[in-house]
Amino acid sequence: MATSTTGCTLLQPLSNAVRLPIDQVNFVVCQLFALLAAIWFRTYLHSSKTSSFIRHVVATLLGLYLALFCFGWYALHFVVQSGISYYIMIIGVENMHNPMMIITQKITSLAYEIHDGMFRKEEELTPSQRCLAVRRMPSLLEYLSYNCNFMGILAGPLCSYKDYITFIEGRSYQLTQSDANGKEDVKYEQTDPSPNIAVTQKLLICGLSLLFHMTVTKTLPVEYNIDDNFRATVSLPMRIIYLYVSLMAARPKYYFAWTLADAINNAAGFGFRGYDKNGASRWDLISNLRIQHIEFSTSFKMFLDNWNIQTALWLKRVCYERASFSPTIQTFILSAIWHGVYPGYYLTFLTGVLMTLAARAMRNNIRHYFVESPPVKLCYDVITWIATQVAISYTVVPFVLLSVKPSFMFYSSWYFCLHIACILVLLILPLKRTQKGSIEQESIKSSWPKKLEEEENVLGQNSYSTTNNSFDQKREITCRYPALKQ
């Protein structure tokens, strides 16, 4: 990661003190600055006190400043990328959703949302596409603000354009109702809740995650899984345990970064998603993970649905539900390309395809035998938890090691056993088929976030996206936020 000269000079002593790379120190310091700026933004530039224009300008300028501090003049990449993309949108809006696939999440998401809203018929859209569709072209300021605002320029998370504009314009707490003609009117406004408790809780999680990363994580390196002496002298059960523990220890840095990013948005007033059944405010509209569900996942899919949630939503919306064939494979390949050029990414995601398909086949053919009796179900959950954690750890080792040679060293030391097991499962167990005869076509709509609704209902939670949340309201309210039908 490139860093600016100013950032390096100012923060070099701090980097030496905490023994972290300067780019990581820059990131943390800038995110903490963004947290303070978010509190100021919500307090002094609240939508009730100032115009949307001022909020857009301030959010954009602060975001570009943070990018300049962290990346130096490489920050121009944000402006150039957004400018070129906006130009493509203006001159070729009807077809601009295709070339956008090579750019970033926000640009591709908005490209499809505009295309859905302006050039596709209502009956062609899925419920989520209909709810997220953007009906007018954003202004350049709105576009830059969405892409480069200080709350999300360094670590996200991804949010829909409509959610962001609704927040900036101060309509986050309005519920709308559609009449027979499809026109939307404000039904009522909710109280503007305080995010202080949610922000405090998330900052506590950040502190614990950072402490864990700086202590335990460094003593359990993933690279030790391919150490010659370790492989030669340690028993197989201990190797399995170390594999799980080392990969579990590698996760807190992601917990820290994503939770801090979520807290920054909440501190600015962005991320509110209504109230739960107990009347408590929920600030998880753009949350990127659920730690408890990750660590206690009992299926490969449950892990994926709770890890990097907004990216899973993006993959679903721009690829999975639009793919005409092999949606799972296409989605994993896109995910690998989006992550970067390291071969380890591709090994992880290609392995993930096998794991996902095999896990789906196992679940469809076996699970119903174990859900009737609570004791049997508990035993089944324990076994599937162990299997899931080992499978996830096995799959993501190349993601951490990055290079081809160490990745193949790891898999060869395990004799590619889980790869072979997955292939055997797919050859032996039947897969559900739709009327068209394609392999479990329902997965196009559900393999990513949609099926999570079922699992979350079991866990006593609601769905996590604006789109899904809007349909929880029994169609009394078409969307949580007013549609942009200018």
Side-chain angles (χ1 to χ4, degrees):
M1 181 184 295
T3 56
S4 68
T5 303
T6 302
C8 289
T9 302
L10 291 176
L11 299 180
Q12 193 69 52
L14 179 58
S15 176
N16 294 335
V18 297
R19 297 180 181 178
L20 288 175
I22 185 63
D23 60 330
Q24 295 182 17
V25 174
N26 279 349
F27 170 80
V28 173
V29 170
C30 284
Q31 286 293 74
L32 292 177
F33 172 81
L35 178 65
L36 297 176
I39 297 172
W40 171 82
F41 188 82
R42 181 173 184 271
T43 303
Y44 295 100
L45 294 182
H46 193 274
S47 58
S48 62
K49 299 178 181 179
T50 189
S51 67
S52 298
F53 176 82
I54 296 297
R55 283 165 64 84
H56 276 306
V57 169
V58 173
T60 304
L61 292 179
L62 283 175
L64 292 176
Y65 172 77
L66 291 179
L68 183 65
F69 185 89
C70 277
F71 310 120
W73 292 110
Y74 287 104
L76 288 175
H77 176 77
F78 293 101
V79 178
V80 172
Q81 176 175 277
S82 297
I84 292 174
S85 301
Y86 189 75
Y87 177 73
I88 293 174
M89 289 170 57
I90 295 297
I91 66 171
V93 64
E94 186 170 359
N95 298 310
M96 56 96 186
H97 61 295
N98 293 318
M100 292 300 100
M101 289 303 297
I102 61 173
I103 313 180
T104 57
Q105 288 182 339
K106 285 185 177 180
I107 294 175
T108 52
S109 296
L110 180 54
Y112 275 110
E113 289 162 5
I114 291 175
H115 183 75
D116 291 342
M118 298 178 66
F119 292 97
R120 293 181 67 191
K121 298 178 181 178
E122 288 287 316
E123 58 269 21
E124 297 176 348
L125 305 178
T126 66
S128 64
Q129 290 170 353
R130 191 175 301 118
C131 189
L132 291 171
V134 176
R135 311 291 178 177
R136 69 166 178 86
M137 182 64 64
S139 68
L140 178 58
L141 177 60
E142 289 172 332
Y143 190 75
L144 287 175
S145 177
Y146 172 60
N147 286 327
C148 302
N149 67 82
F150 74 96
M151 298 172 291
I153 194 169
L154 296 184
L158 172 69
C159 63
S160 75
Y161 175 78
K162 290 178 70 172
D163 284 347
Y164 179 74
I165 294 300
T166 296
F167 155 70
I168 288 292
E169 295 180 355
R171 294 181 285 115
S172 301
Y173 314 109
Q174 294 178 353
L175 295 178
T176 61
Q177 188 173 27
S178 294
D179 59 22
N181 297 322
K183 295 182 179 180
E184 293 181 344
D185 296 313
V186 175
K187 186 178 180 183
Y188 61 86
E189 294 190 5
Q190 297 174 308
T191 305
D192 187 347
S194 170
N196 293 342
I197 295 178
V199 172
T200 301
Q201 291 173 340
K202 290 174 183 179
L203 290 180
L204 179 60
I205 293 173
C206 289
L208 294 175
S209 299
L210 184 61
L211 179 63
F212 191 96
H213 174 68
M214 296 181 67
T215 54
V216 179
T217 299
K218 295 184 182 299
T219 66
L220 298 168
V222 176
E223 292 77 7
Y224 197 55
N225 284 283
I226 58 173
D227 180 79
D228 291 336
N229 183 63
F230 174 78
R231 291 186 295 168
T233 60
V234 177
S235 64
L236 179 60
M238 289 305 300
R239 288 177 60 189
I240 294 174
I241 292 173
Y242 185 82
L243 173 67
Y244 163 67
V245 172
S246 63
L247 269 298
M248 180 187 67
R251 293 196 279 264
K253 65 179 180 181
Y254 298 99
Y255 296 165
F256 169 77
W258 288 337
T259 305
L260 179 57
D262 195 16
I264 291 169
N265 282 272
N266 292 170
F270 187 31
F272 175 69
R273 193 167 65 83
Y275 297 89
D276 62 18
K277 60 184 178 181
N278 298 319
S281 58
R282 301 184 62 182
W283 288 88
D284 57 349
L285 175 65
I286 55 174
S287 294
N288 231 349
L289 76 167
R290 296 189 188 88
I291 297 175
Q292 182 178 354
H293 295 168
I294 289 170
E295 299 300 342
F296 293 97
S297 294
T298 57
S299 71
F300 200 86
K301 184 193 174 311
M302 184 178 177
F303 186 100
L304 294 180
D305 284 338
N306 289 284
W307 173 270
N308 207 353
I309 293 171
Q310 301 306 320
T311 293
L313 275 173
W314 171 69
L315 290 168
K316 175 209 171 190
R317 291 167 180 168
V318 304
C319 181
Y320 200 89
E321 65 182 11
R322 300 176 191 269
S324 57
F325 65 94
S326 303
T328 298
I329 296 176
Q330 288 192 43
T331 302
F332 273 100
I333 291 175
L334 173 60
S335 183
I337 294 172
W338 176 76
H339 276 87
V341 297
Y342 288 107
Y345 296 155
Y346 294 86
L347 289 174
T348 286
F349 289 110
L350 290 176
T351 303
V353 172
L354 281 177
M355 293 289 182
T356 299
L357 295 176
R360 186 183 302 159
M362 291 282 288
R363 184 180 182 88
N364 290 337
N365 286 276
I366 294 176
R367 185 176 185 274
H368 57 276
Y369 294 114
F370 299 93
V371 297
E372 298 297 332
S373 170
V376 174
K377 175 63 165 55
L378 177 61
C379 182
Y380 175 81
D381 286 342
V382 172
I383 294 173
T384 54
W385 174 80
I386 295 173
T388 297
Q389 297 303 321
V390 173
I392 287 290
S393 301
Y394 176 92
T395 301
V396 302
V397 166
F399 192 94
V400 178
L401 299 180
L402 299 177
S403 301
V404 171
K405 184 177 179 180
S407 299
F408 273 98
M409 285 177 60
F410 170 76
Y411 281 146
S412 62
S413 71
W414 281 66
Y415 303 103
F416 294 89
C417 59
L418 294 191
H419 289 85
I420 296 171
C422 289
I423 293 173
L424 291 176
V425 166
L426 293 174
L427 291 175
I428 295 172
L429 294 180
L431 296 176
K432 289 185 178 179
R433 296 177 180 272
T434 63
Q435 294 178 350
K436 293 183 179 180
S438 60
I439 295 177
E440 202 170 3
Q441 186 68 16
E442 65 169 344
S443 64
I444 296 180
K445 305 298 182 185
S446 62
S447 178
W448 288 84
K450 188 175 177 183
K451 269 190 179 179
L452 182 60
E453 295 176 18
E454 302 172 4
E455 295 175 351
E456 287 185 330
N457 287 336
V458 175
L459 296 168
Q461 293 194 4
N462 297 323
S463 55
Y464 53 79
S465 69
T466 302
T467 305
N468 292 335
N469 184 58
S470 65
F471 295 105
D472 285 341
Q473 302 186 37
K474 308 298 184 184
R475 299 188 183 278
E476 291 180 4
I477 302 167
T478 56
C479 288
R480 276 196 77 247
Y481 304 131
L484 300 181
K485 290 189 176 180
Q486 289 93 331

